[in-house]
Amino acid sequence: MKNVKKKIKKLERKICYHLYLYHTLNKPKISDLEFDFLIEKLDILKKKIGIKKKFSYLNKIGSSLSKKLKTVKHLTNMLSLESINSIEKLEYFIKKIITFSKKNNLKKPEFCCELKFDGVALSLIYKHGKLIGASTRGNGIIGENVIHNVYVIKSIPKKLVGNNIPKLLEIRGEVIIHKDDFIRLNQSFRNKKGDFFSNSRNLAAGSLRQLDPIITKKRNLSFYCHSIGFYTPFLKFPNSHFNFLKLLDSWGLPVYSLRQLCFNVKEIVSFYKEVKKKRSSLKFEIDGIVIKTNSIDMQNKLGFSSKFPKWSIAYKFPSKKKITSILNINFNVSRTGLIIPVAKLKPVFIDGVEIKKVSLYNQKNMEKFGFCIGDLVTICRSGDVIPKIVDINVENRKKNNLKPIKFPIYCPSCNSKIKNKFGDNFLRCFSGFECVSQRERMLIHFFSKDALYIRGLGKNIIRKLVDKDIIFSPIDVFNLKIRDLVNLNRIGDVSIKKLLYEISVSKETTLSRFLYAFGIKDIGKTVSVNLSSHYKNIENLMNSKFEDLLLVKKIGKKVASNFLSFINKEENRKIIYSLIKIFKFKNN
Ligand code: IVH
């Protein structure tokens, strides 16, 4: 308990330090993801000892006002938004608003749904339609005066146009940087060995808080407004947020057009999905949608909590990236002899899926990135399935003096020299069945569901039989005796008898399954079916020639020569002929 408390204190200090780097100096040393990771870690520790109160950094950034910029008090506090990340929480929010409207005899609520811009908050003051003030959020009450920089942001009008403009108007919105500008600028910083920004939001914040507007101008910032802070009463005051945005647009303020009025959870979810789909094609970063009660009257009645408006919520997109560390790097030997480096990771969950390892592909990739044990890496699930490393924390590498892991020269399984024979980016072990790893994987494939499947003969039993040198080639499975199986852990008498029975009745198969079982390069399920329907029986197949192989559907020169080199190898022929003696073939 004492130990955990100490850890919590230490972690809180670390978080405050990073908040200072981020908000005050604009020079974060860690990415947002790494920061979230610290917060997550802290919450876990607190949970461990029953502390319910989560770390609130909102009230810890009071110290974040830059000493170099002048400060200004906002006309109305600049609050933040509560965020959610599930439909259940959205349902809860909508239900609360509906209940409130019923209780207060108000009209059925409508919701204005918009983009959640991933930028930096800005407040603008217009007096008689003329821009006179601009400030960052600061601590929500007092912000930093950045008017000198706002003058160089093209999309912010210096004078409003149109009718019924209030005497005093406080506009809220988000300063963003376009994705392509972010890449371009970061590249130039890298070239000059200057600061490097981990995301476009940090770069936008850093650019907005420059002392020299010439620098800000070069950053090509943009702005979109999303709400109003203070205003003096004016004619034709809109009754809804949606119409408010329309009005701002008519005054020449930049309002992004993608927004929608929704009436229920279903419509909001469908808008959320639509935006999520469009996300990658947008010119700037967004991190979710914002849902706002549309009626201004209802907004006023709902009011604010200490931090958030009660009438609005941010429905964020799930983070598909996580930071974790490399615990080890193993070199696996695939069924076909490829040597594949695999990083064992400290397990992390992305979208509910636990990720424990990630492929480092090949030697070329290993050398390019110099992966080390202890590396802090950002993981994402590419295409939502396969995990991939998208970022490496180089600072951490330097700090801990980590050394890159070298690619082996010999096969980690059979110790034979590994080679690159096909001119591709892969090193391979060419020992085939002689290599235990390949043998194990070949046998697993041989008896897998689409090949010569034997009920009860799973991966684990095959591994144990190979490990104990009981089976070497597939034919050995058909000669197994009770004594071979009794010594394997966790397999009882009944299971042994069942397995031996299943083996004895499994000697009937189709030619295509038989062929597929050998896992010959490029001979997958479809090609196996094509070959067996062309050659009809195994004898014809074993005597096939290059020219007539080319007549088979989906077989080109490369596949044909792979196939021939396999069936003409002495050891393969031996295995095939020993098996066909005991197998009976039925039609495909
Ligand atoms: S409305 C009273 N609408 O997200 C608060 N905010 O994480 C009104 N943001 O502080 C905010 N897009 O800086 C609103 N469409 C949008 C937004 C948006 C981005 C920012 C805003 C806010 C932060 C909360």
Side-chain angles (χ1 to χ4, degrees):
M1 178 98 158
K2 233 181 173 179
N3 216 357
V4 179
K5 273 189 179 164
K6 245 187 183 171
K7 274 189 190 165
I8 290 177
K9 277 248 158 72
K10 200 170 156 201
L11 204 49
E12 278 186 337
R13 270 203 301 275
K14 193 169 173 186
I15 289 170
C16 285
Y17 168 67
H18 286 295
L19 279 170
Y20 167 77
L21 291 178
Y22 181 101
H23 289 281
T24 307
L25 302 184
N26 264 326
K27 279 193 180 142
K29 276 194 179 161
I30 57 172
S31 68
D32 282 12
L33 280 157
E34 284 166 285
F35 183 79
D36 290 348
F37 184 60
L38 295 179
I39 296 283
E40 219 174 274
K41 211 164 140 188
L42 181 68
D43 287 340
I44 293 169
L45 283 177
K46 282 185 170 176
K47 223 176 172 182
K48 240 186 190 174
I49 56 166
I51 303 178
K52 282 203 182 115
K53 203 169 163 244
K54 290 201 169 183
F55 181 82
S56 158
Y57 47 97
L58 286 168
N59 51 19
K60 290 192 175 60
I61 55 172
S63 60
S64 69
L65 298 166
S66 164
K67 290 199 175 72
K68 290 181 191 154
L69 293 168
K70 287 207 173 108
T71 54
V72 251
K73 193 171 183 300
H74 299 302
L75 299 181
T76 51
N77 287 353
M78 255 179 118
L79 298 182
S80 190
L81 288 173
E82 186 179 0
S83 37
I84 51 163
N85 50 18
S86 71
I87 295 188
E88 292 73 33
K89 287 183 181 159
L90 173 68
E91 278 167 348
Y92 179 74
F93 171 77
I94 301 297
K95 207 171 153 192
K96 244 180 20 188
I97 307 275
I98 293 175
T99 313
F100 179 88
S101 67
K102 276 186 189 157
K103 261 193 192 159
N104 292 279
N105 294 323
L106 301 171
K107 262 175 61 188
K108 193 170 178 267
E110 292 172 353
F111 299 94
C112 179
C113 301
E114 339 167 340
L115 304 184
K116 183 167 187 312
F117 304 97
D118 196 8
V120 53
L122 181 71
S123 184
L124 299 173
I125 306 285
Y126 287 90
K127 197 172 174 183
H128 298 295
K130 195 169 161 246
L131 179 70
I132 57 147
S135 53
T136 63
R137 180 173 181 271
N139 61 12
I141 303 161
I142 297 168
E144 298 140 323
N145 184 352
V146 286
I147 186 80
H148 57 295
N149 290 331
V150 164
Y151 282 136
V152 299
I153 301 178
K154 275 195 219 134
S155 52
I156 297 180
K158 315 306 172 267
K159 202 167 177 343
L160 300 181
V161 291
N163 304 319
N164 303 322
I165 298 167
K167 241 197 232 160
L168 198 58
L169 174 69
E170 190 182 40
I171 292 290
R172 300 277 154 82
E174 214 76 1
V175 170
I176 50 154
I177 200 151
H178 285 151
K179 289 174 190 170
D180 49 358
D181 283 323
F182 171 69
I183 296 170
R184 177 182 58 83
L185 288 162
N186 243 351
Q187 195 61 46
S188 74
F189 298 144
R190 257 193 237 259
N191 292 347
K192 286 185 206 150
K193 292 213 163 28
D195 287 339
F196 162 71
F197 290 85
S198 53
N199 59 44
S200 55
R201 183 175 2 111
N202 285 345
L203 180 51
S207 309
L208 185 65
R209 300 167 82 204
Q210 290 291 325
L211 293 177
D212 181 357
I214 294 173
I215 298 179
T216 310
K217 194 168 182 202
K218 284 186 189 151
R219 304 282 169 90
N220 204 17
L221 300 173
S222 292
F223 175 77
Y224 285 111
C225 50
H226 50 59
S227 47
I228 293 199
F230 177 83
Y231 52 84
T232 43
F234 58 96
L235 275 178
K236 295 197 183 149
F237 178 82
N239 56 358
S240 73
H241 178 72
F242 198 88
N243 289 339
F244 231 126
L245 292 179
K246 259 192 186 167
L247 188 62
L248 298 186
D249 183 53
S250 77
W251 289 338
L253 283 157
V255 181
Y256 199 72
S257 55
L258 186 56
R259 60 177 185 276
Q260 193 175 300
L261 270 185
C262 296
F263 296 87
N264 51 46
V265 172
K266 204 173 152 207
E267 286 178 10
I268 298 172
V269 171
S270 113
F271 178 74
Y272 171 89
K273 285 185 181 160
E274 180 195 331
V275 173
K276 203 167 168 213
K277 254 195 207 155
K278 288 187 176 150
R279 186 183 187 182
S280 59
S281 60
L282 290 174
K283 285 191 173 146
F284 49 84
E285 297 288 354
I286 55 168
D287 56 347
I289 62 164
V290 178
I291 300 139
K292 294 171 183 168
T293 308
N294 196 33
S295 151
I296 304 288
D297 179 44
M298 206 184 291
Q299 282 186 7
N300 291 336
K301 288 194 166 108
L302 278 157
F304 297 86
S305 71
S306 62
K307 282 185 222 152
F308 311 122
K310 289 186 186 164
W311 41 266
S312 180
I313 207 150
Y315 186 6
K316 293 239 242 173
F317 296 136
S319 146
K320 287 205 158 63
K321 289 180 186 171
K322 280 269 165 88
I323 308 270
T324 187
S325 54
I326 295 184
L327 301 177
N328 205 351
I329 293 175
N330 298 316
F331 295 88
N332 293 349
V333 187
S334 81
R335 178 167 56 85
T336 53
L338 289 173
I339 311 290
I340 302 176
V342 177
K344 186 175 173 221
L345 304 170
K346 189 169 173 211
V348 275
F349 282 89
I350 299 184
D351 290 347
V353 177
E354 191 181 28
I355 297 175
K356 292 192 244 178
K357 54 186 181 179
V358 60
S359 170
L360 305 177
Y361 302 112
N362 52 30
Q363 183 195 24
K364 200 174 161 202
N365 195 56
M366 288 266 308
E367 279 167 6
K368 182 171 166 198
F369 295 104
F371 292 108
C372 312
I373 293 171
D375 259 344
L376 279 181
V377 288
T378 306
I379 304 291
C380 87
R381 287 176 70 207
S382 66
D384 282 359
V385 192
I386 306 157
K388 200 169 125 187
I389 293 179
V390 289
D391 198 15
I392 306 159
N393 184 329
V394 184
E395 280 298 314
N396 168 70
R397 207 178 255 181
K398 276 191 217 149
K399 198 173 96 191
N400 295 303
N401 198 20
L402 305 178
K403 294 276 173 289
I405 296 294
K406 285 216 171 83
F407 210 87
I409 301 168
Y410 299 99
C411 170
S413 173
C414 68
N415 224 20
S416 67
K417 191 132 194 232
I418 57 184
K419 297 171 218 161
N420 173 311
K421 210 167 129 182
F422 301 122
D424 54 13
N425 287 329
F426 292 94
L427 284 162
R428 288 175 164 86
C429 163
F430 287 89
S431 304
F433 256 96
E434 301 295 324
C435 170
V436 180
S437 282
Q438 286 183 67
R439 193 191 315 155
E440 192 179 281
R441 287 183 163 87
M442 283 181 194
L443 286 164
I444 289 171
H445 175 78
F446 198 93
F447 294 106
S448 62
K449 282 247 154 68
D450 295 319
L452 298 178
Y453 179 62
I454 296 177
R455 197 179 300 171
L457 186 69
K459 280 183 195 174
N460 286 340
I461 295 188
I462 296 179
R463 277 196 193 112
K464 283 177 193 166
L465 289 167
V466 172
D467 257 14
K468 289 189 185 280
D469 278 337
I470 297 171
I471 58 170
F472 195 84
S473 105
I475 191 76
D476 300 331
V477 167
F478 300 94
N479 296 323
L480 279 174
K481 302 279 175 296
I482 294 184
R483 65 166 186 277
D484 296 321
L485 296 163
V486 283
N487 287 336
L488 303 181
N489 278 343
R490 295 196 197 176
I491 170 159
D493 290 353
V494 180
S495 308
I496 290 176
K497 278 187 192 146
K498 262 194 191 163
L499 178 57
L500 290 176
Y501 169 77
E502 291 292 344
I503 293 173
S504 71
V505 296
S506 69
K507 290 166 194 157
E508 197 182 69
T509 191
T510 60
L511 182 57
S512 61
R513 273 176 173 264
F514 184 78
L515 194 54
Y516 171 69
F518 286 93
I520 307 164
K521 196 167 181 291
D522 300 324
I523 313 290
K525 278 185 267 182
T526 315
V527 175
S528 299
V529 170
N530 295 349
L531 277 169
S532 52
S533 16
H534 184 87
Y535 286 100
K536 306 282 189 263
N537 62 49
I538 187 80
E539 287 77 22
N540 290 344
L541 196 59
M542 294 302 282
N543 295 320
S544 58
K545 298 278 170 303
F546 188 75
E547 277 69 30
D548 50 78
L549 274 169
L550 295 182
L551 301 175
V552 181
K553 241 203 281 171
K554 293 212 170 167
I555 294 203
K557 287 182 187 164
K558 208 176 112 227
V559 181
S561 72
N562 274 345
F563 179 71
L564 287 177
S565 77
F566 182 86
I567 59 163
N568 291 327
K569 244 193 191 161
E570 195 46 40
E571 65 258 41
N572 293 338
R573 287 187 89 81
K574 256 194 203 159
I575 296 173
I576 294 170
Y577 280 112
S578 63
L579 282 166
I580 56 178
K581 270 191 212 149
I582 61 165
F583 267 93
K584 227 169 109 185
F585 292 101
K586 55 182 181 187
N587 286 339
N588 263 339

